[in-house]
Amino acid sequence: MAAFNDHIRNIALLGHAGSGKTALAEALLHASGAINQKGNVSRGNTVSDFTDQEKAAGHSLETSILQFDHLNTHVNLLDTPGTPDFFGRAMSILPAVESVALVINARNGIEPVTRRAFEQMHERKKCGLIVINQCDLPEIELEALLLDIQDQLGSQCLPVNLPSADGSRMVDCYFAPEYDTPTAFSSVTEAHDQLVDQVVEVDEKLMELYLEQEQCLKPEQLHDPFEQALREDHLIPVCFTSAETGAGIEQLLHTLCELMPTPSEGNPPLFLKGEGDNETPVAVVPDPDIHAVAHVFKVSMDPYIGRMGVFRVHQGTIRSGDLLFLGDIRKPVRVAHLLKLQGSKTTEVSEACPGDICAVAKIDSLHFNGVLHDSHDEDQHHLRDLQFPPSMASLAISPAHRGDEQKLSEVLHRLVAEDPSLTIEHRERENETVLLGLGEAHLQLSIEKMAKVYSLEVTTSVPSIPYRETIRNKAEGHHRHKKQNGGSGQFGEVFLRIEPLPRGSGFEFASEVVGGVIPSQYIPAVEKGVREVMRSGAIAGYPMQDIRVVVYDGKHHSVDSKEIAFVAAGKKAFLDAIRKADPVVLEPFVEMDITVPSQSMGDVTGHLASERGMVTGTDAGRGMKVTVHARAPLANVSGYSNTLKSMTGGDGEYSMQFSHYDCVPVPVQKALIKAWEA
């Protein structure tokens, strides 16, 4: 293991399923000498895909932590899943790396997950690299693909190598340019000059030296401005490879080890201190001699070894035996064993310096996004939250056998601890426990894991659609709550007004009461009554949203006024206002990207139209494929996977993400209200 963080590179492999990320990881491990023989995904013997579920699926389902040494550099390589259903798992590891390598299938080109990964790379300010893999496939057009990448992802995407004219290997265009070697398109001279021109644009002195003196610049002279160009998204290197034949792998290794940034060269991690309005950015620096700060970016639950947390050290040094604090918890935990990971294998190490990725086991308090530190000075340090895609698939779950209710609760919470893109809801209206994920495959994997890993059998059903309620007009409400049973009674009177807020605004509550007509200690009780209605709904039993409530007047009694009286008055005054404010039921709409053979496009668009969907655009893809962009109500496409299979013969795929809430048609609203009142 490298001793200093300037010899460490942290790289995440992201890309669509089928781009060959796992095969590429195997090729890099083999070329660097970390393994003696390349594994094969189809044979189920790769270092990355080691779980039984991954071997059965034939692709990655979890992020694997890999490592190798090359050119005096220690590389931590994170191989992520590429199917849309597991994109949340791929996103969750971004805080651990400085660089993202987007892997693109040479035949399929830019696919939906590629775009989403590219957007996340920019959102988290990661340095980028594009790897065009599977360049050995027949009938591919690499020049057209490169132009397509530059058109869609930016002109700053420039190649560091090119395929040779005979297609037998990749030609170096940067480290030791092979100027006399014919290439399949462009030329080594043109590619090299484009790279140098792009890099010197961020360094005026170097540009002057380059232009005025016409001096040839060596890679060593370009190193610092190259890193600056990466940090500023002024340059994204492109590397052509074939994991199958090994073409371009050596140049990719050089690119990873010599061009991609070290922990001190990359953009600094997005740490904050404090909470809410008091949050402020705080500097966490890769200095091994100051307070230790590490971030937990992955948690795995094993029935035998318990909870294992994988973390990235950002500051200071963590040693075996150290006492560390987790967040603002005052009681420290001891690092009994510090582990480095290579797929399923672990190796114990004595210390971890800034940039290192390690794991600790059997610490029950570890959780995703937790911050480990050795001083209370960092108690309130945390990374800026990741915004995971909204859950689009859901299953109502109950134990198959009576008496397993507690076990189900425990297992569900373990699954959520491992996968932050899974969520659990208990829907009181239907008395349902609902597991929500990014897609049907995401949920199915969780159900299989319950059975195979935790020996828990469950029954599943289609849950109710998460409808919401809101209002369309302003209105005022009033209620006097008066109850007398002998002795002290209950009294509270509330006047309030309500108004609709823009979609997605949530809920706002304010008080404009003056003169003490409602004592200040009872205002929270009024809000409590209002929030009860917000949770339970007013016309069809669904939670309410996008409403502003202002209590502005009322009355109290010096003896009979109590909190419970103002809770009741607030609740009924709110219901009174809602009845006058044109209440409506809202339904969730989703954005869909549906990739199908071109001959199936008519069936897909016709079906969408029949389900109240709207096509918003189409993109011609590679290999006679077309991507249909559409918007549709979730209620009509909640079981879309089977429908798409029947329309395309299994040769289609789709992803969906939440778009917005909008009003349901009048007949649907009447049916929902009638069902609730029944």
Side-chain angles (χ1 to χ4, degrees), residues 419-660:
D419 186 347
S421 57
L422 278 175
T423 54
I424 305 169
E425 286 184 3
H426 181 70
R427 297 179 179 171
E428 295 181 9
R429 181 178 183 272
E430 297 81 8
N431 193 26
E432 290 178 336
T433 297
V434 179
L435 182 65
L436 300 101
L438 302 189
E440 293 174 17
H442 191 197
L443 296 180
Q444 189 57 43
L445 179 77
S446 301
I447 301 302
E448 290 175 4
K449 193 166 189 176
M450 288 184 195
K452 294 179 180 178
V453 178
Y454 298 106
S455 301
L456 175 67
E457 294 183 8
V458 297
T459 58
T460 63
S461 59
V462 177
S464 55
I465 297 297
Y467 293 107
R468 296 291 184 265
E469 297 177 19
T470 192
I471 57 173
R472 288 193 281 205
N473 295 323
K474 296 180 179 180
E476 294 191 358
H478 162 250
H479 183 77
R480 173 184 288 184
H481 178 79
K482 187 175 181 180
K483 191 173 183 182
Q484 194 74 40
N485 293 323
S488 64
Q490 297 178 14
F491 181 86
E493 187 170 4
V494 171
F495 292 84
L496 53 76
R497 58 177 177 266
I498 61 177
E499 61 181 278
L501 292 173
R503 291 281 187 268
S505 299
F507 168 67
E508 294 180 9
F509 180 88
S511 171
E512 294 180 359
V513 172
V514 294
V517 292
I518 300 178
S520 59
Q521 67 265 31
Y522 294 134
I523 298 298
V526 177
E527 182 178 357
K528 182 178 179 181
V530 169
R531 286 187 179 274
E532 285 182 6
V533 178
M534 291 293 295
R535 285 193 298 270
S536 60
I539 60 171
Y542 296 103
M544 305 195 75
Q545 65 181 37
D546 306 332
I547 300 175
R548 174 177 168 82
V549 178
V550 179
V551 55
Y552 65 89
D553 199 1
K555 290 181 182 179
H556 76 287
H557 189 276
S558 59
V559 175
D560 291 345
S561 285
K562 298 178 178 66
E563 179 180 338
I564 189 173
F566 278 100
V567 170
K571 181 176 182 178
K572 292 183 179 180
F574 188 32
L575 287 169
D576 180 47
I578 290 170
R579 282 191 289 269
K580 307 169 187 174
D582 193 11
V584 292
V585 177
L586 303 175
E587 64 179 334
F589 277 71
V590 294
E591 298 281 357
M592 305 179 70
D593 293 323
I594 310 160
T595 302
V596 296
S598 55
Q599 64 268 24
S600 301
M601 180 178 168
D603 293 336
V604 169
T605 55
H607 176 264
L608 286 169
S610 71
E611 298 293 343
R612 297 195 288 128
M614 181 176 68
V615 175
T616 58
T618 58
D619 290 328
R622 294 174 174 273
M624 300 298 290
K625 292 288 185 77
V626 62
T627 299
V628 178
H629 306 289
R631 187 179 300 120
L634 178 61
N636 294 64
V637 293
S638 58
Y640 194 67
S641 179
N642 291 333
T643 303
L644 185 62
K645 285 179 182 177
S646 66
M647 288 190 293
T648 64
D651 193 19
E653 61 179 22
Y654 77 102
S655 63
M656 65 168 72
Q657 57 184 349
F658 174 75
S659 173
H660 65 286

Side-chain angles (χ1 to χ4, degrees), residues 13 21-22 47-55 57 59-66 78-83 86 88-90 92-93 297-301 343 414-415 417-422 442 445-446 449 453-454:
L13 298 178
K21 298 183 298 297
T22 297
V47 179
S48 288
D49 296 348
F50 56 85
T51 69
D52 291 339
Q53 287 178 302
E54 287 175 316
K55 292 176 182 178
H59 58 80
S60 300
L61 301 172
E62 306 274 359
T63 294
S64 292
I65 317 298
L66 312 172
L78 280 62
D79 180 21
T80 67
T83 56
F86 300 103
R89 297 182 179 186
S92 66
I93 56 85
F297 65 89
K298 187 178 190 297
V299 172
S300 60
M301 307 291 294
R414 288 186 179 187
L415 292 175
E418 287 184 290
D419 186 347
S421 57
L422 278 175
H442 191 197
L445 179 77
S446 301
K449 193 166 189 176
V453 178
Y454 298 106

Side-chain angles (χ1 to χ4, degrees), residues 163-166 171 178-184 188:
S164 62
D166 60 4
V171 182
E178 303 173 65
Y179 293 111
D180 297 328
T181 304
T183 55
V188 173

Side-chain angles (χ1 to χ4, degrees), residues 284-295:
V284 172
V285 296
D287 184 339
D289 299 321
I290 57 178
H291 291 168
V293 176
H295 173 255

